[in-house]
Amino acid sequence: RASSTDDKGTVFSSAATYRANGNGEIDLKRDPSLSGRYVGVEPMGLLWSMTPDSLHKRLQKINALNPFMVKFSVHEETGEGRILAEATNERILMGDGVIRVPVKEGNIRGVLFTPPGRGPFPSVLDLYTYGGGLSEKRASLLASRGFLVLTVALYGHDDLPKNVKEIHLDYLEEAVEFLKKQTKGSSKKVVWINGCSANVVLPFYYKKRQIHSALMFDLKKAIPTESGAFITKYVLNNPLAEENKGSLIPIEQAKGHFLFVASEDDLCWDSKAYMDQMVERLKRHGKEKFESVSYPGAGHYLEPPYGPYCRSSFNVVLGKPALWGGEPKSHAAAEVHMWKKIQDFLRNHLSSDAAQNRAKL
């Protein structure tokens, strides 16, 4: 069995049944689970199959300084399930030597993670948008793998507004300029994970002028389920309809490289279709600087691997719980593949640029 309590106090747990060999030993890399949350040989299954003790919860790790603590225990299958052994696994988010510095400069509110060593380091701006607040998990893990990462909040953090009615791209431009000061250089590479081909919900502004309207939605199209969570895959209006053209992102005007990642079982919205629209638009304009990958059986929330699969949680736009889609085993495999893919993409396209500059940090 495995159990862990997140930063919000929600308990996540899992269990699987194994048969020990003649020496009383179990090797998770060799031996299959016979029953429980998963079956078959799944060395990390006890981690990704953990589920919350209450409905519609997603594991929350707010501060990268707090490790992901997992208690493992081995029980006899018969009788009262007597505990035979137990241990606590400390899964750190920040590797040795990584420096975490809160950033409050100008309008920027976020955290900068710097890898150990002199550099130069390839730099990354890490963005989570809807939902507000700040997420440090992905940024700290990337920094632990040699990237200088700035993760910023758009709202709902520090002295930023709790809610916003529009997104000002000047803020993100300021964050990019801040990063450029750290590395004395820049290069535009984008990793797009389960996004949309249009700007959604909040209009985009730049230099106090609206540059993109927001693609809106019809919540009447949300599909209720027995769990109380809703399927929102079909609530967004059609981004290709004439009346919504102002929300489309003219991606062909971008000069950088793209990595598109889409989950084929995303129940939040149709990520695969939106990815295909972006790829088709780039091809139509003769653009070739992109890669794309899609994952069957994966849901909306693709994150660094080996965390609990999130079946449903609160959707801030819907104002209710939403089903995110996917099947746990396939979703976990997608996260493993995606995590390596992202690092390879960033390293291949950023390292050559960073090598020309000496980092300040």
Side-chain angles (χ1 to χ4, degrees):
R1 297 175 184 174
S3 66
S4 180
T5 303
D6 74 359
D7 291 350
K8 295 288 188 178
T10 301
V11 176
F12 291 75
S13 61
S14 62
T17 302
Y18 287 83
R19 178 175 289 115
N21 64 15
N23 295 323
E25 297 171 339
I26 296 169
D27 184 343
L28 297 183
K29 291 183 178 179
R30 175 196 66 203
D31 301 325
S33 166
L34 305 178
S35 64
R37 292 281 168 78
Y38 59 93
V39 294
V41 179
E42 293 289 340
M44 306 298 277
L46 284 169
L47 294 177
W48 57 252
S49 70
M50 287 197 291
T51 57
D53 59 1
S54 54
L55 286 173
H56 316 312
K57 297 292 184 180
R58 178 173 167 235
L59 185 109
Q60 300 287 323
K61 295 304 295 180
I62 299 170
N63 190 315
L65 296 174
N66 301 328
F68 179 28
M69 305 295 291
V70 184
K71 180 181 177 182
F72 292 100
S73 55
V74 182
H75 303 250
E76 284 184 340
E77 184 183 17
T78 57
E80 297 297 319
R82 179 171 62 95
I83 296 179
L84 303 175
E86 57 184 345
T88 298
N89 179 222
E90 184 181 51
R91 305 186 62 77
I92 61 173
L93 299 179
M94 285 175 54
D96 291 341
V98 173
I99 300 172
R100 176 187 179 274
V101 179
V103 175
K104 190 173 183 178
E105 182 172 316
N107 295 307
I108 304 170
R109 300 294 181 268
V111 176
L112 180 71
F113 292 93
T114 306
R118 293 185 60 197
F121 306 113
S123 59
V124 176
L125 178 63
D126 187 31
L127 298 174
Y128 281 86
T129 50
Y130 299 110
L134 192 68
S135 178
E136 300 184 14
K137 178 181 176 181
R138 185 168 60 198
S140 60
L141 288 171
L142 280 173
S144 301
R145 285 150 181 81
F147 297 92
L148 182 129
V149 187
L150 173 65
T151 180
V152 298
L154 292 180
Y155 62 96
H157 173 71
D158 199 80
D159 58 354
L160 293 174
K162 289 186 177 181
N163 293 289
V164 292
K165 294 182 179 179
E166 65 266 337
I167 300 294
H168 289 265
L169 298 185
D170 314 69
Y171 175 72
L172 301 182
E173 184 178 52
E174 187 177 345
V176 169
E177 291 301 316
F178 175 87
L179 262 182
K180 286 166 68 175
K181 290 179 183 178
Q182 318 307 315
T183 58
K184 291 187 177 179
S186 69
S187 152
K188 298 176 180 66
K189 312 293 181 279
V190 176
V191 179
W192 177 100
I193 304 172
N194 286 334
C196 183
S197 55
N199 176 47
V200 178
V201 180
L202 300 173
F204 276 169
Y205 280 75
Y206 183 63
K207 305 295 185 187
K208 298 182 179 180
R209 182 177 67 87
Q210 181 175 310
I211 60 171
H212 285 293
S213 58
L215 182 68
M216 300 310 289
F217 50 87
D218 182 358
L219 292 182
K220 293 178 182 178
K221 295 180 180 179
I223 303 170
T225 67
E226 291 183 0
S227 71
F230 288 75
I231 295 172
T232 59
K233 186 169 186 174
Y234 308 105
V235 303
L236 270 184
N237 295 334
N238 180 8
L240 301 181
E242 187 63 34
E243 63 270 21
N244 298 321
K245 292 266 176 93
S247 67
L248 280 173
I249 302 299
I251 193 171
E252 72 280 358
Q253 296 179 16
K255 297 178 182 179
H257 287 76
F258 288 89
L259 170 61
F260 298 105
V261 178
S263 295
E264 295 184 16
D265 193 30
D266 189 344
L267 294 182
C268 176
W269 56 30
D270 199 343
S271 297
K272 177 63 165 58
Y274 298 144
M275 180 182 78
D276 291 343
Q277 290 172 17
M278 302 284 257
V279 167
E280 190 278 330
R281 184 163 182 154
L282 285 170
K283 287 181 176 178
R284 183 161 24 102
H285 288 85
K287 303 290 185 174
E288 299 178 346
K289 294 181 179 180
F290 66 87
E291 302 172 40
S292 63
V293 60
S294 62
Y295 296 109
H300 186 70
Y301 268 120
L302 285 176
E303 298 192 298
Y306 310 132
Y309 159 73
C310 180
R311 175 178 169 78
S312 62
S313 64
F314 185 79
N315 182 318
V316 66
V317 176
L318 183 66
K320 299 175 182 178
L323 278 181
W324 301 117
E327 179 275 323
K329 185 174 181 178
S330 299
H331 189 91
E335 289 184 329
V336 172
H337 185 274
M338 178 197 71
W339 185 231
K340 182 178 185 303
K341 183 81 174 174
I342 287 175
Q343 292 176 69
D344 290 345
F345 173 81
L346 292 175
R347 219 167 252 122
N348 291 341
H349 292 293
L350 293 179
S351 294
S352 58
D353 302 305
Q356 299 174 21
N357 306 287
R358 296 300 297 177
K360 289 178 66 179
L361 292 180

